[in-house]
Amino acid sequence: MSLPADVAAIQPADAPTARDTILTGDRPTGALHLGHYAGSLRTRVALQGRCPQTLLIADLQALTDASSRASQVAAHVEEVALDYLAAGIDPALTTIAVQSRLPALSELTVLYLNLVTVARLERNPTVKAEIELRGFARDIPAGFLCYPVSQAADISGFRATLVPVGDDQVPMIEQTNEIVRRVNRLAGTPVLPECRALLSSTPRLPGVDGRKASKSLGNAIPLGATPDDIRRLVQAMYTDSGHIRAADPGVVEGNVVFAYLDAFDPDAEAVAELKAGYRRGGMGDVVLKRRLVDVLEHLLAPLRARRAELAGDRAHVREVLREGSMRAIEVTRTVLRDVREVFGLEPH
Ligand code: TRP
């Protein structure tokens, strides 16, 4: 399968070597959207085959925040797998595994919990922000507070060295490395490798209304968007509230349409010209939005077609998950053995 132009063009600054192992994951709380695609998914597609790569559908992590919506989490596991496959993830090159099917990760989490303090967990900036967002106080689910530890188990459970994620996940990588160093110190020898984040060169995409893109706000563009969805969502995009008449100069910074053009229009020169014209005045929002609709339709049409094809063959998707999880069970089991030994739990 040939790579989409936007994927083929990716040259991450911190490109992997053949010695790297990639692991990353997503919570199955809903369909993936363009923010996931720009932030990490297209990097994963571009990197597959260069080194071993596993994508983890993190259903246990999703439950730390959505235990009341457990059946939805379960239902979304296959949807996320469909999104991966539609976006160009090839199961022959990339292992796709379901977190809850890998018991070694849960056992690693239990062991790692002894190496982390509650104070440290409460200081994790991502967890802190999420606690505020959800208004948690003492009623915070213990599993939620501890999910960085489970994420450290996900990453180290595959001996991963490279983690393609959005910038909000950097504190998780730091906390993983702290745990890895503690395990190695206990062992007196490097049992586990440290890892580094692989950040996207695209800044985080806003939702169509300029707020943080979120499934619950309905302001993200799903990878499965129909041509009508695309038109409607682009139509609703915030541009520059001061740009009333086409003849007026417009502002590019903070303009959501330009954020998306920067992320997805393969013709950077044309976008630069559009920006210059918009700043000068004489260019209406309609022109920009029409271009963005074309760019997104061009990007998403093949994904949509592949998704429709795959959605008709659920048995295949289930088989991909079964096979990937089986492979991952083996890998994570050997890591768990080594860590159990560090804690004196393996018979000699
Ligand atoms: N925390 C990530 C998110 O919310 C999902 C995730 C779970 C993950 N396990 C991971 C990401 C391991 C990277 C590595 O998107």
Side-chain angles (χ1 to χ4, degrees), residues 23-29 36 40 44 54 56-59 61-62 99 126 130 147 150-156 160 162-166 168-169 172-173 176:
L23 178 115
T24 188
D26 295 282
R27 296 180 184 194
T29 50
H36 296 110
S40 163
R44 306 173 195 176
T54 301
L56 196 61
I57 304 182
D59 53 352
Q61 187 178 114
Q99 190 187 28
T126 303
E130 286 169 329
Y147 91 73
S150 135
Q151 194 156 328
D154 297 344
I155 295 169
S156 63
L162 197 58
V163 189
V165 279
D168 61 315
Q169 295 293 305
M172 303 299 164
I173 308 286
T176 296

Side-chain angles (χ1 to χ4, degrees), residues 151-232:
Q151 194 156 328
D154 297 344
I155 295 169
S156 63
F158 288 84
R159 297 188 201 283
T161 52
L162 197 58
V163 189
V165 279
D167 55 2
D168 61 315
Q169 295 293 305
V170 170
M172 303 299 164
I173 308 286
E174 283 167 6
Q175 208 161 359
T176 296
N177 284 336
E178 284 174 29
I179 291 171
V180 162
R181 285 194 288 269
R182 290 215 169 101
V183 170
N184 290 343
R185 206 175 310 134
L186 269 181
T189 173
V191 171
L192 300 172
E194 292 191 32
C195 64
R196 60 196 198 280
L198 181 59
L199 296 174
S200 159
S201 56
T202 312
R204 193 181 317 181
L205 268 192
V208 297
D209 54 4
R211 289 188 287 174
K212 185 177 184 299
S214 131
K215 288 159 210 148
S216 51
L217 293 174
N219 62 355
I221 302 183
L223 294 184
T226 63
D228 270 354
D229 294 334
I230 295 174
R231 235 172 286 127
R232 179 176 51 80

Side-chain angles (χ1 to χ4, degrees), residues 10-342:
I10 289 178
Q11 292 295 344
D14 200 5
T17 70
R19 264 170 303 143
D20 274 311
T21 296
I22 297 179
L23 178 115
T24 188
D26 295 282
R27 296 180 184 194
T29 50
L32 300 183
H33 54 68
L34 282 175
H36 296 110
Y37 187 74
S40 163
L41 187 48
R42 65 177 163 185
T43 313
R44 306 173 195 176
V45 174
L47 294 183
Q48 48 182 358
R50 292 206 219 165
C51 59
Q53 170 167 262
T54 301
L55 305 186
L56 196 61
I57 304 182
D59 53 352
L60 291 178
Q61 187 178 114
L63 286 177
T64 65
D65 173 32
S67 57
S68 61
R69 289 175 275 133
S71 62
Q72 284 178 34
V73 169
H76 281 128
V77 169
E78 271 182 40
E79 294 308 306
V80 171
L82 269 175
D83 281 332
Y84 288 164
L85 298 172
I89 292 293
D90 176 353
L93 299 172
T94 297
T95 300
I96 306 177
V98 182
Q99 190 187 28
S100 64
R101 297 188 200 173
L102 315 179
L105 297 184
S106 295
E107 202 173 330
L108 279 175
T109 303
V110 169
L111 293 172
Y112 291 171
L113 281 169
N114 302 310
L115 307 176
V116 182
T117 66
V118 171
R120 173 64 181 92
L121 287 162
E122 284 173 341
R123 267 202 314 274
N124 181 307
T126 303
V127 173
K128 216 166 151 179
E130 286 169 329
I131 288 174
E132 272 166 33
L133 189 74
R134 290 167 176 73
F136 284 139
R138 298 293 298 166
D139 60 346
I140 183 171
F144 184 83
L145 186 64
C146 297
Y147 91 73
V149 180
S150 135
Q151 194 156 328
D154 297 344
I155 295 169
S156 63
F158 288 84
R159 297 188 201 283
T161 52
L162 197 58
V163 189
V165 279
D167 55 2
D168 61 315
Q169 295 293 305
V170 170
M172 303 299 164
I173 308 286
E174 283 167 6
Q175 208 161 359
T176 296
N177 284 336
E178 284 174 29
I179 291 171
V180 162
R181 285 194 288 269
R182 290 215 169 101
V183 170
N184 290 343
R185 206 175 310 134
L186 269 181
T189 173
V191 171
L192 300 172
E194 292 191 32
C195 64
R196 60 196 198 280
L198 181 59
L199 296 174
S200 159
S201 56
T202 312
R204 193 181 317 181
L205 268 192
V208 297
D209 54 4
R211 289 188 287 174
K212 185 177 184 299
S214 131
K215 288 159 210 148
S216 51
L217 293 174
N219 62 355
I221 302 183
L223 294 184
T226 63
D228 270 354
D229 294 334
I230 295 174
R231 235 172 286 127
R232 179 176 51 80
L233 287 159
V234 171
Q235 194 48 44
M237 266 185 192
Y238 281 27
T239 53
D240 164 14
S241 55
H243 192 229
I244 314 282
R245 280 168 312 204
D248 296 338
V251 177
V252 166
E253 290 70 28
N255 187 315
V256 177
V257 180
F258 278 114
Y260 277 70
L261 284 173
D262 278 337
F264 300 115
D265 194 324
D267 190 346
E269 247 171 65
V271 175
E273 273 170 36
L274 277 177
K275 284 181 181 171
Y278 196 74
R279 287 197 176 103
R280 223 182 292 125
M283 183 181 293
D285 288 349
V286 179
V287 179
L288 299 181
K289 289 190 168 179
R290 211 174 283 146
R291 182 173 182 102
L292 182 57
V293 167
D294 287 348
V295 165
L296 294 184
E297 179 54 22
H298 187 74
L299 173 72
L300 292 181
L303 268 81
R304 193 187 300 130
R306 268 199 299 266
R307 200 178 203 288
E309 205 177 299
L310 290 158
D313 190 1
R314 291 274 170 171
H316 170 69
V317 178
R318 280 190 212 114
E319 182 55 22
V320 165
L321 291 177
R322 199 189 64 80
E323 217 191 295
S325 298
M326 292 296 283
R327 239 181 289 158
I329 283 173
E330 293 307 316
V331 177
T332 52
R333 194 185 270 160
T334 64
V335 177
L336 174 62
R337 224 197 110 78
D338 289 350
V339 175
R340 281 175 57 100
E341 204 172 311
V342 174

